[in-house]
Amino acid sequence: MNYSTLKKTVALSFASLLAVGVANAQTDSTMSTTSTGTAKVFGGRGQYKTWSFGLNAGALSPVIAIGGVHDYTNKKINLGYGASLRWQLAHSFGLQLDAHGGKIGGDNADAPGGVRDGMRSYQTRFWSGTLSGVVNVATIDFLRRKNSVNFFVTAGGGMIWYNPRYVTAASSTEQRYTNADGSDHHVKSLVIPVGAGVKFRLSDAWALNLGYTANFTDDDNLDALKRAYPTKDKYSYGYGGLEWTLGSSSKPNLDWVNPVAMMYDELYDAALRQEVEALKGRVTNVENAVNDLKKDSDGDGVSDQFDKCPNTPAGTVVDGAGCPIKLPTADSTANTAEAYSNIQFDFDSSVLRTSSYSVLDAVSADMRSNSGKTVELNGYASSEGTAAHNLRLSKDRANSVKTYLVNSGVEAKRIKVKGLGETNPIADNSTEEGRVMNRRVEFKQK
């Protein structure tokens, strides 16, 4: 089989595989659902197939698409081939180990006499090994649930081994390139591959790759010609190849998983939706219960659940149970003198006697009808116990009176409280009758 026939056969094979990839892409664009296996968002790399092995073949050229210097007037296109092993680390990034081989050639057919710089032609066989990063471009697809076409870019570094053969103007016999030390072993040099390509999904395990790589070497003798002012030699590789993803068929291929579709499937999961609906129902029940607790039909400030006197008229002053408080009126039967009479207390007690209520109601009525009036409550104690104890007790007695008046509707700011202890007795503390009279609160009007 000659080279022309080989090129036609390879072209037809790639065209057939490309047609299959396009067909798969069209089929996927119409799919309503696609299983992603058991893989979950944020589930880790272990739930996918991530290792791939590929074989490729294509055309090698001593020039690259972006231009540059070639030491010969004419280039020759030769067959190149290679193998790859890739580890996909994420949806968009992987590491790929490549091994390539082939021949690069050129001649000076267009130069006068077919000779330039004393050289007629060259042909260099090489082997290279590189490690590259592979970035998948546009892995998130909002049009299809499962990716069928991936675009990628690559860049990396490695080593190239080669030994050029050439024909000079002085000899028609092919010669082998010799190193500076006179040896003819293979030259090795650093090589930097930079490329781009497109991948078509033939199935979840098989893919067709089409790509182009520009390779930059760190030497000037790849073409057997090393100038006095050297320029770095370079070559390009346009290729097509098949890639097979290794691993269990029960796992999805990380190359083709669409993260958007996975997230949608998890959110659309029937069990999850049922759980969300149940949670919404529970939240609604809690909200209704809280609203019931806050409901106050008669607007008295006490919720219906605790209101023992429902439907009180608007504006009614109520107690904590929602029942009306009966306040003394200004026309109380108690006269002014009775209203501000001393309030008596039991021994060592600050609790109001029921007999004091009429006096306190009269005081409340008078103060509410005279909004400008203020009062000072002076608390006293008899001489039993320590002076410090009696001082505290006297102030507690004055505060008991103030609390009653405030609860009956008198503003707290109009009432001042003082505890005076055993001072200012109004009777003899040596007798029981005198001590009873000294346990008191006096009103001082202002």
Side-chain angles (χ1 to χ4, degrees):
M1 180 183 294
N2 58 34
Y3 183 65
S4 176
T5 304
L6 176 61
K7 287 196 295 184
K8 291 180 180 179
T9 303
V10 172
L12 289 173
S13 299
F14 281 147
S16 300
L17 290 172
L18 181 60
V20 173
V22 172
N24 282 345
Q26 293 174 342
T27 300
D28 285 336
S29 67
T30 60
M31 291 172 65
S32 58
T33 58
T34 299
S35 172
T36 56
T38 58
K40 299 293 183 182
V41 177
F42 309 121
R45 195 167 48 245
Q47 60 189 335
Y48 302 103
K49 293 187 289 187
T50 57
W51 287 94
S52 301
F53 176 75
L55 295 173
N56 54 76
L60 284 166
S61 172
V63 297
I64 61 175
I66 60 175
V69 176
H70 181 218
D71 294 334
Y72 292 76
T73 61
N74 301 80
K75 63 180 182 294
K76 290 185 178 181
I77 305 299
N78 290 288
L79 178 66
Y81 40 84
S84 64
L85 181 65
R86 182 166 52 87
W87 183 26
Q88 194 68 25
L89 299 174
H91 293 287
S92 58
F93 180 77
L95 292 175
Q96 182 165 301
L97 185 65
D98 286 286
H100 287 114
K103 291 190 298 185
I104 301 168
D107 59 35
N108 288 315
D110 290 345
V115 176
R116 190 170 76 171
D117 296 322
M119 304 292 283
R120 291 186 179 275
S121 64
Y122 78 98
Q123 180 174 273
T124 301
R125 180 174 293 278
F126 75 91
W127 300 97
S128 69
T130 58
L131 179 65
S132 300
V134 181
V135 178
N136 290 334
V137 181
T139 57
I140 297 177
D141 193 342
F142 290 93
L143 300 179
R144 302 176 181 85
R145 292 183 52 83
K146 195 167 187 177
N147 294 338
S148 295
V149 179
N150 276 353
F151 297 92
F152 61 87
V153 293
T154 64
M159 298 298 295
I160 181 171
W161 294 263
Y162 56 92
N163 189 269
R165 295 179 182 273
Y166 59 93
V167 178
T168 65
S171 173
S172 59
T173 303
E174 188 177 71
Q175 301 179 52
R176 188 170 179 176
Y177 180 82
T178 57
N179 298 296
D181 60 2
S183 64
D184 60 0
H185 57 75
H186 279 67
V187 180
K188 65 179 179 180
S189 176
L190 175 69
V191 63
I192 304 296
V194 179
V198 59
K199 175 181 296 186
F200 297 91
R201 183 173 67 86
L202 305 179
S203 70
D204 202 52
W206 289 93
L208 168 65
N209 294 338
L210 301 178
Y212 179 86
T213 304
N215 300 272
F216 302 87
T217 69
D218 194 35
D219 215 330
D220 187 37
N221 56 1
L222 186 65
D223 55 8
L225 181 60
K226 196 165 188 176
R227 296 180 178 275
Y229 300 98
T231 56
K232 304 295 185 182
D233 287 334
K234 49 201 165 291
Y235 65 96
S236 62
Y237 180 44
Y239 62 91
L242 290 175
E243 184 178 284
W244 177 48
T245 302
L246 311 173
S248 171
S249 60
S250 63
K251 291 184 177 182
N253 186 344
L254 184 55
D255 252 340
W256 305 114
V257 172
N258 186 356
V260 174
M262 286 182 61
M263 187 171 294
Y264 174 84
D265 287 343
E266 287 192 21
L267 294 175
Y268 195 77
D269 181 75
L272 178 61
R273 293 174 69 85
Q274 290 175 0
E275 186 174 342
V276 171
E277 291 300 323
L279 180 60
K280 288 168 62 177
R282 291 195 293 271
V283 171
T284 300
N285 292 337
V286 172
E287 289 176 345
N288 292 336
V290 171
N291 289 333
D292 289 341
L293 288 174
K294 296 191 298 183
K295 189 175 181 181
D296 181 13
S297 301
D298 55 10
D300 60 1
V302 180
S303 64
D304 291 352
Q305 185 171 357
F306 304 106
D307 198 341
K308 297 186 182 301
C309 299
N311 303 318
T312 54
T316 303
V317 180
V318 298
D319 57 18
C323 295
I325 296 177
K326 296 181 179 179
L327 301 175
T329 60
D331 58 350
S332 173
T333 56
N335 56 41
T336 303
E338 181 188 13
Y340 293 97
S341 302
N342 291 348
I343 305 299
Q344 304 297 139
F345 290 86
D346 292 332
F347 171 71
D348 199 26
S349 173
S350 61
V351 178
L352 292 171
R353 295 175 177 176
T354 56
S355 59
S356 302
Y357 291 170
S358 60
V359 176
L360 294 173
D361 289 344
V363 172
S364 174
D366 183 61
M367 293 190 71
R368 285 186 289 109
S369 63
N370 297 281
S371 59
K373 183 178 287 188
T374 62
V375 68
E376 184 179 287
L377 303 177
N378 296 325
Y380 294 95
S382 57
S383 60
E384 297 98 328
T386 65
H389 174 76
N390 288 332
L391 183 63
R392 289 192 300 271
L393 180 60
S394 66
K395 190 169 185 179
D396 290 343
R397 287 170 174 170
N399 279 322
S400 294
V401 174
K402 179 177 180 179
T403 299
Y404 187 95
L405 294 176
V406 171
N407 287 341
S408 67
V410 180
E411 295 175 303
K413 67 182 181 179
R414 298 169 59 194
I415 305 173
K416 294 184 178 180
V417 172
K418 285 185 178 181
L420 300 175
E422 302 174 6
T423 63
N424 303 326
I426 59 174
D428 189 357
N429 274 316
S430 63
T431 65
E432 179 60 26
E433 292 79 5
R435 289 192 291 270
V436 169
M437 293 181 66
N438 288 333
R439 300 167 190 149
R440 71 196 187 281
V441 170
E442 292 182 353
F443 292 91
K444 185 176 181 181
Q445 301 180 58
K446 294 185 177 180

